[in-house]
């Protein structure tokens, strides 16, 4: 029936499985911190999870908005904009509301640097870089996804999200370093749990984005979007996917044996 069809379209538009990419870096980054400190602040994990889900909702909805502006989603029935009869500005406001909720929660994850009460904005700063990366993928005037840069942006963004989740768990009052310096030090530590964890989250997430382009090759080509699938063709792009899958097994072995 028409009702059942519309329900299926809304389910596809919401993209529930997509929200696992919000949960995974938070749990993995927090676990990397736990491996070093033996402590886990679960209230901070929950706050970060809720913030990340809100940001992914913003990313998902705003992508439909920007695709509506370019017309690339004209034939995409499961677009949120199309499901709401083209009310693009209302959908855009909804996306921004989710983003506001996300940053409010990120702000709650800061800690005072010292006894003077200077606030530690490192988590907010890292996530601001990530959100800018997400915006630059589809948002004007950048639209870097149209240049085939979506996958590198995705990798960097999720790599940094793992770092932010790690940092949110560290009590900097008991460490000689804080801020970005602490994150950099953790990434450069021998057999760094943070480094390998971040790579093992970022790489498959970028792969998910790459694979999502396979069925859109014709629409992307028509709209002038130079996605990796358009640039490489489906056959060569499939080789890239296979090679990346092998890397997912090689990296843990490097961490364990070297």
């Amino acid at each position: 029936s028409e009702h059942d069809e519309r329900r299926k379209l809304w389910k596809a538009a919401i993209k529930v499985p997509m929200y696992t990419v919000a949960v995974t870096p938070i749990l993995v980054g927090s676990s990397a911190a736990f491996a070093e400190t033996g402590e886990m602040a679960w209230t901070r994990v929950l706050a970060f999870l809720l913030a990340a889900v809100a940001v992914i909702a913003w990313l998902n909805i705003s992508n439909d908005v920007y695709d509506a502006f370019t017309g690339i989603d004209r034939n995409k029935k499961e677009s949120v904009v199309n499901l709401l009869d083209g009310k693009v500005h209302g959908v855009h406001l909804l996306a921004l509301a989710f983003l506001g909720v996300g940053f409010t929660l990120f702000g709650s994850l800061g800690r005072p640097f010292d006894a003077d009460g200077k606030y530690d904005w490192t988590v907010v700063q890292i996530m601001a870089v990530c959100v800018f990366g997400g915006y630059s993928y589809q948002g004007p005037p950048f639209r870097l996804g149209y240049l085939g840069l979506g996958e590198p942006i995705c990798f960097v963004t999720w790599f940094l999200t793992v770092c932010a989740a790690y940092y949110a768990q560290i009590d900097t009052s008991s460490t000689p370093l804080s801020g970005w310096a602490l994150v950099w030090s953790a990434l450069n530590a021998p057999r760094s749990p943070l480094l390998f964890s971040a790579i093992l989250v970022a790489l498959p997430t970028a792969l998910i984005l790459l694979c999502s382009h396979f069925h859109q090759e014709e629409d992307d080509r028509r709209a002038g979007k130079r996605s990796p699938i358009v640039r490489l063709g489906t056959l060569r792009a499939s080789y890239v996917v296979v090679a990346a899958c092998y890397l997912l097994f090689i990296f843990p072995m490097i961490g364990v044996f070297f």
Side-chain angles (χ1 to χ4, degrees):
S1 68
E2 183 178 345
H3 175 73
D4 290 339
E5 178 66 19
R6 193 167 181 82
R7 185 173 61 183
K8 289 178 181 179
L9 289 174
W10 270 111
K11 185 177 180 180
I14 294 172
K15 300 183 180 76
V16 174
M18 179 180 179
Y19 291 87
T20 60
V21 300
V23 173
T24 304
I26 313 310
L27 295 181
V28 172
S30 300
S31 298
F34 177 78
E36 293 185 5
T37 66
E39 298 178 357
M40 181 80 80
W42 286 104
T43 54
R44 299 174 72 79
V45 173
L46 179 60
F48 212 133
L49 283 172
L50 293 174
V53 167
V55 169
I56 291 297
W58 162 77
L59 185 65
N60 181 29
I61 298 170
S62 63
N63 278 347
D64 280 354
V65 170
Y66 301 132
D67 281 343
F69 287 150
T70 62
I72 196 172
D73 274 359
R74 188 179 296 108
N75 300 318
K76 186 179 177 182
K77 294 181 179 180
E78 69 272 21
S79 164
V80 175
V81 174
N82 291 339
L83 286 168
L84 292 176
D85 302 320
K87 297 176 181 176
V88 63
H89 295 296
V91 175
H92 197 191
L93 288 174
L94 175 63
L96 291 175
F98 276 113
L99 183 61
V101 170
F103 268 100
T104 299
L105 289 167
F106 287 140
S108 72
L109 293 170
R111 286 191 173 103
F113 267 133
D114 49 40
D116 295 332
K118 184 180 178 183
Y119 203 67
D120 185 351
W121 292 102
T122 305
V123 171
V124 175
Q125 291 170 356
I126 294 174
M127 295 312 300
V129 173
C130 295
V131 166
F132 177 76
Y135 177 80
S136 69
Y137 172 65
Q138 287 286 72
F142 307 101
R143 302 192 191 281
L144 298 181
Y146 282 73
L147 302 178
L149 298 176
E151 285 69 22
I153 290 171
C154 182
F155 182 92
V156 172
T157 298
W158 262 260
F159 186 98
L160 289 176
T161 301
V162 174
C163 293
Y166 166 90
Y167 188 83
Q169 290 292 321
I170 302 296
D171 183 0
T172 54
S173 65
S174 61
T175 59
L177 297 174
S178 60
W180 292 82
L182 188 150
V183 174
W184 182 251
S185 175
L187 288 171
N188 283 279
R191 292 189 178 181
S192 167
L194 178 58
L195 176 63
F196 287 98
S197 298
I199 290 173
L200 290 173
V201 169
L203 182 57
T205 307
L207 270 177
I208 291 170
L209 179 60
L210 175 63
C211 292
S212 73
H213 293 305
F214 274 91
H215 75 288
Q216 295 179 324
E217 181 191 11
E218 291 184 7
D219 286 345
D220 286 349
R221 193 182 300 276
R222 193 180 303 114
K225 186 174 183 178
R226 301 290 293 165
S227 71
I229 308 303
V230 171
R231 290 176 178 272
L232 298 173
T234 54
L235 180 60
R236 282 187 292 181
S238 67
Y239 295 154
V240 172
V241 173
V242 172
C245 288
Y246 276 111
L247 286 176
L248 288 174
F249 290 93
I250 292 172
F251 276 122
M253 289 190 289
I254 293 174
V256 170
F257 297 109
F258 300 98

